[in-house]
Amino acid sequence: MVVTAISVAEVLGALIDDSPYRHNAFRLGGLRVDATPRDLRKRQAELEAGEKLGVPLAGVAGVLPVRPAPELADVRTALNHLRDPVNRLMQELFWFWPVDGDDPAMELLAGGDVSGASDLWLRQLNRSGPTGGIAAHNLAILRQLHGLETQLGRCVEPWLEGLSAWNTAIDSEACWDRLLSRARHIDDRRLGPETIAELRRAMPDALLGMHASLIVRGAERGDTAAVDVHIEVLDRFAREVTRYRGAFTAATIDDARRSAARELAARLTAITDDEVETAVDQPRQGSTAANRMLDRANLSLCALDRLRAPGDPVRDGAHDRLVQAAVVCDARHYNETGDLAASETLFARVGPIAATEASRKALNDARVTVAEARIGWLCDNAMRDVDADERTGAEAARQLLDRAQAPLGVLREVRGPSDERLRKQLDRVAARAASCVVAYFNQTGDLEVAEQLLARVKPLALMQETKDVLHENIATLAAIRRRREKAARLIGTCWFCKAGDAADGKQHNVALHTDVARRGNTKHWQSLTANVPRCVDCWAEHNRKKAPLTTYTWVHVACWIGGFASLIAANNIPAIWTVFIVCLLLGMLTLLEVMRLKNAAWLDPAMEFPPVQQLLNEGWRIGVRP
């Protein structure tokens, strides 16, 4: 029976996937690859004896021993695998080959001088005959061992050197002649020239598959550095192979990238299925499950994006499954909790992942639904605040206008600026904000803030009914502003000269009274003083015209005081009559001056002052009292 290509690829793939070096029987058993069946039986006997005595096997540590040391049972199991001719040949392929006779490099390795052995093989690379090919093979083994088992594996160079060495070894006829010779020595009909040829052809795919597997395993462990290293190895090696012909080709490397992408996509599918199942079973955990899914998928998705370009069905399919799973999880969560914030946060994360038109449409439909729900919540919340306290209307309107921008932006982005659903939501926001502003103004009279807010609301109103209401509100505020400005001008300008600025404390006071009523022998009324604005110049002029009254009044008072003082001092009847007559005359002059001032034309404008006129029209009368 001849081993087929499929079986060779399968055995080779299984060997590499299970670590071709850490479980290599020759390494674990401390044997050379050309060990005879007698050597093998001897080592197995030593193992059995050591196992029975419970003591370590002396001398089992050969070239580059595994650390920590394996269990004796594991070594015995590995050696048993060498009984199978195919397994033996494969394990020989992945361990160091000595040059015929005493090999100095192998002695250096056995003594722990890895650097010395490496330098020797590097010098042997360009030699003719089997030496150059065997040196390339051994260097490839050494570089891969460094990559797998030391910190050098965090660097790209050892891996690239290992692939380059394998490329040389696979191209070397001497290597395969030696392997064919070993197959003949093993003497099994499955290991003929055809099998060796198939193995040679399968090697590039298998070796590159190691890097594909390491990418996937790195993503599973969350090891970003490992993922980056092995993707970079494939990228750089692809550029290298274009410069010279060899066993590896750009197509072979792309196959490895595609294989890693398929495995990563399968991992992503398992993650999405797992979290969707959680959301279905526990809807309240839907948002948590979706975000956990994105976290778990992040490294695998990034690696997949580096391996395959947009448009690749494996890549795009993985992206779309994540988007669809996130939408399903969110729908479960929202229907159970009504948590809009969680939906908005999730969709912001998912948006950049959508790769195809179908997934973008599904995501956008969900985003629109959430955006409309958010606008409705904002409108209702604003009205609740105003119903509780109308004085908060301005702040409620301001917050509504500010916070509605994000969901309105979603509608504008997804549906387009002329979409009917967007227009409806814009109008909805405009109507609610306008209602808040009107309530605020009715309570506070704050014209400035109300006008500013309605100016912000105006561009949002698109339905005719809302436009009409908003136009009416704006027109009402404009009329109120005109009246206030007129009143401000009225109060700020002297009413008498109509030119000077009104001065504080210089106004003319008009006494008024109303609601006169009798209660028994007593009159009751209300009184107030209307202030007519007046400038400093008019105030001085009016005081000048009132000066005679002031003079008469003070002389009148002085005469009365002087007369009575004289009366008390002299008890003189003629003096009393004289004082009486003088006071009487002064009183008459004072009364006449009062009448003159009361009827003075220069005071008439005060009665025409609009606030005074309004009070007179309301029933007020001139004078402090009836």
Side-chain angles (χ1 to χ4, degrees), residues 113-133:
D113 188 359
V114 177
S115 177
S118 175
D119 291 342
L120 181 57
W121 284 328
L122 283 171
R123 290 195 297 271
Q124 294 174 344
L125 273 178
N126 296 323
R127 291 186 185 179
S128 60
T131 303

Side-chain angles (χ1 to χ4, degrees), residues 369-498:
T369 300
V370 170
E372 290 177 333
R374 171 60 73 182
I375 292 170
W377 182 89
L378 289 171
C379 290
D380 293 343
N381 192 58
M383 293 309 297
R384 279 194 298 270
D385 289 346
V386 173
D387 289 341
D389 183 0
E390 292 186 343
R391 290 178 176 274
T392 65
E395 184 60 25
R398 193 176 292 111
Q399 289 187 4
L400 172 58
L401 293 172
D402 291 342
R403 295 174 180 175
Q405 292 305 309
L408 288 173
V410 171
L411 290 171
R412 193 175 288 108
E413 172 196 343
V414 174
R415 308 290 299 186
S418 59
D419 182 73
E420 188 62 26
R421 292 173 73 170
L422 171 61
R423 292 168 60 86
K424 181 179 178 181
Q425 295 303 324
L426 286 168
D427 199 73
R428 184 181 188 182
V429 171
R432 292 294 187 276
S435 297
C436 294
V437 174
V438 170
Y440 170 77
F441 179 76
N442 290 341
Q443 283 295 316
T444 65
D446 189 344
L447 184 62
E448 198 74 28
V449 171
E451 285 183 325
Q452 290 175 359
L453 288 172
L454 288 184
R456 285 188 63 186
V457 171
K458 186 177 179 180
L460 304 181
L462 300 176
M463 303 299 180
Q464 192 59 47
E465 181 180 354
T466 307
K467 284 183 178 181
D468 292 343
V469 172
L470 192 58
H471 178 75
E472 182 181 350
N473 290 334
I474 293 173
T476 300
L477 293 181
I480 293 172
R481 175 171 288 281
R482 288 193 295 271
R483 289 199 297 272
R484 288 186 179 181
E485 290 174 349
K486 182 178 179 181
R489 289 194 299 271
L490 194 66
I491 295 172
T493 305
C494 177
W495 180 252
F496 296 93
C497 66
K498 303 295 194 295

